[in-house]
Amino acid sequence: MHPIPDIASDFRADLHCHTTCSDGSLEPRAVIDLALSIGLQGLSITDHDTVAAYEESISYAREKKLYLGTGVEFSCNFEARSVHVLGYDFCLEDFSFLSYCKRQQEKRLVRNRLILEKLHRLKIFIEESELFLSFQEQASTLGRPHIAAAMVRKGYVKSIAEAFQLYLGDHKSCYVAGEPFPVLEAVEILHQAGGKAFIAHPHMYADAAFVRRVLDVPFDGIECYYGKTSPDVVRRWKKVAEKRNLLMSGGSDFHGEAKPYVSLGGAWVSQDVFFRIFEKNLIV
Ligand code: AMP
Ligand code: ZN
Ligand code: FE
Ligand code: FE
């Protein structure tokens, strides 16, 4: 365990953001620069299904004196509904963890193809080779934002938001749920890699009873602070976390241009929470 450093009381850490390695618009170093420029002292990069961002981020964060905790976000399934799992403080080199990331990425390729087929039927012609965001040539993880960006580039829609609204959003005409892995498997893989598993943005799921059932999976914590959720919602999830003796995390879900209305640092955790979550795999 790291000794908790004696640092400023205004310590803030954003534990949820995405880079060009998945569907964010800023490269890992640019996210770190932005974090420092807005006064954050800690960060966890939680790209979808990949830890590729850490390759360049480790030395850069050290150089710039930013506390960086390992992170990832997986899209999973519970009772046939989508649930996102955030992983923290796992070992970046764990073999089972890395092969799980690979399996998640492969699943996405299959799902992307099915979405492209549905679009094709509506005379929207996008090739797999065209799936990149305007600000990146290649990401480890490809998903709906990359399909949306191709639709914008080819003039089928005016914006990424419109592509989601008309075609790609949950349960719209070209939506494909895919066959995500169960929540329990992601949680177990994270534990095996020495990490902790958190349920992401719980307010986004169907209802509180559903979340309570999801929380019967051995999670370590709940993402209580998220983007611009209202104080009431934050209070509700903090209460659930306290009752179940779970950790409380928080972050903005920053994506850059892909979600221009979300700012880095919009939600954050304090120093004691940060060091309670990142006990083993913290980059300092
Ligand atoms: P996927 O991982 O392929 O299911 O795509 C989900 C991702 O799409 C989310 O993490 C967001 O980055 C992005 N997304 C979801 N809804 C929207 C939306 N309405 N507008 C823009 N981006 C969105
Ligand atoms: Zn995303
Ligand atoms: Fe998410
Ligand atoms: Fe996210």
Side-chain angles (χ1 to χ4, degrees):
M1 180 158 169
H2 290 273
I4 297 181
D6 184 18
I7 40 184
S9 58
D10 61 352
F11 182 103
R12 286 179 299 131
D14 188 331
L15 304 188
H16 191 159
C17 64
H18 299 267
T19 75
T20 46
C21 294
S22 63
D23 57 3
S25 69
L26 295 185
E27 290 185 357
R29 279 174 224 228
V31 174
I32 290 175
D33 286 337
L34 178 60
L36 290 164
S37 77
I38 60 170
L40 293 178
Q41 287 168 285
L43 190 72
S44 180
I45 295 172
T46 51
D47 274 316
H48 303 279
D49 309 332
T50 179
V51 288
Y54 285 87
E55 216 172 284
E56 61 178 87
S57 299
I58 292 176
S59 55
Y60 197 63
R62 279 203 181 111
E63 182 193 322
K64 297 279 177 172
K65 304 206 181 327
L66 177 81
Y67 289 98
L68 182 67
T70 59
V72 73
E73 183 173 19
F74 294 124
S75 305
C76 303
N77 226 3
F78 190 88
E79 295 176 357
R81 293 190 207 163
S82 172
V83 170
H84 289 188
V85 175
L86 286 163
Y88 295 121
D89 202 33
F90 50 84
C91 166
L92 284 171
E93 279 102 40
D94 184 89
F95 180 78
S96 308
F97 169 79
L98 291 172
S99 39
Y100 182 75
C101 289
K102 192 114 222 131
R103 280 162 58 214
Q104 283 274 13
Q105 289 166 23
E106 284 160 6
K107 243 186 204 305
R108 277 179 177 276
L109 291 181
V110 175
R111 174 182 177 236
N112 288 345
R113 277 176 207 148
L114 294 172
I115 296 175
L116 295 184
E117 277 170 25
K118 279 197 166 182
L119 287 168
H120 199 275
R121 275 181 235 139
L122 298 182
K123 305 216 178 317
I124 296 173
F125 304 109
I126 311 279
E127 300 295 327
E128 239 179 293
S129 59
E130 295 172 308
L131 299 192
F132 54 87
L133 292 165
S134 52
F135 31 77
Q136 75 187 22
E137 281 301 310
Q138 190 54 273
S140 307
T141 302
L142 296 173
R144 284 183 286 167
H146 304 82
I147 298 174
M151 292 169 73
V152 176
R153 270 199 308 279
K154 297 186 85 174
Y156 291 113
V157 286
K158 285 196 218 63
S159 64
I160 289 187
E162 191 180 294
F164 272 89
Q165 225 160 41
L166 298 181
Y167 303 101
L168 305 175
D170 294 8
H171 313 298
K172 299 289 160 133
S173 60
C174 296
Y175 175 73
V176 174
E179 290 172 10
F181 295 120
V183 165
L184 178 64
E185 189 182 5
V187 171
E188 285 176 344
I189 294 270
L190 286 162
H191 285 164
Q192 204 181 307
K196 300 183 177 74
F198 285 64
I199 182 168
H201 38 67
H203 61 286
M204 283 190 192
Y205 309 124
D207 52 74
F210 172 74
V211 177
R212 277 199 295 276
R213 291 198 298 280
V214 180
L215 285 172
D216 288 336
V217 173
F219 275 99
D220 303 275
I222 302 178
E223 188 178 46
C224 294
Y225 313 93
Y226 177 87
K228 292 189 183 113
T229 43
S230 72
D232 270 4
V233 173
V234 172
R235 247 193 311 275
R236 184 197 315 154
W237 295 115
K238 279 176 74 174
K239 233 158 121 183
V240 176
E242 272 159 18
K243 208 164 134 198
R244 291 181 177 245
N245 207 13
L246 292 170
L247 293 162
M248 302 172 203
S249 73
S252 61
D253 208 359
F254 173 75
H255 282 73
E257 276 172 47
K259 276 188 182 173
Y261 45 90
V262 176
S263 312
L264 190 68
W268 46 271
V269 297
S270 61
Q271 178 176 330
D272 59 322
V273 174
F274 183 79
F275 288 97
R276 227 176 289 147
I277 296 175
F278 299 100
E279 299 172 289
K280 290 172 275 184
N281 292 289
L282 183 65
I283 295 139
V284 290

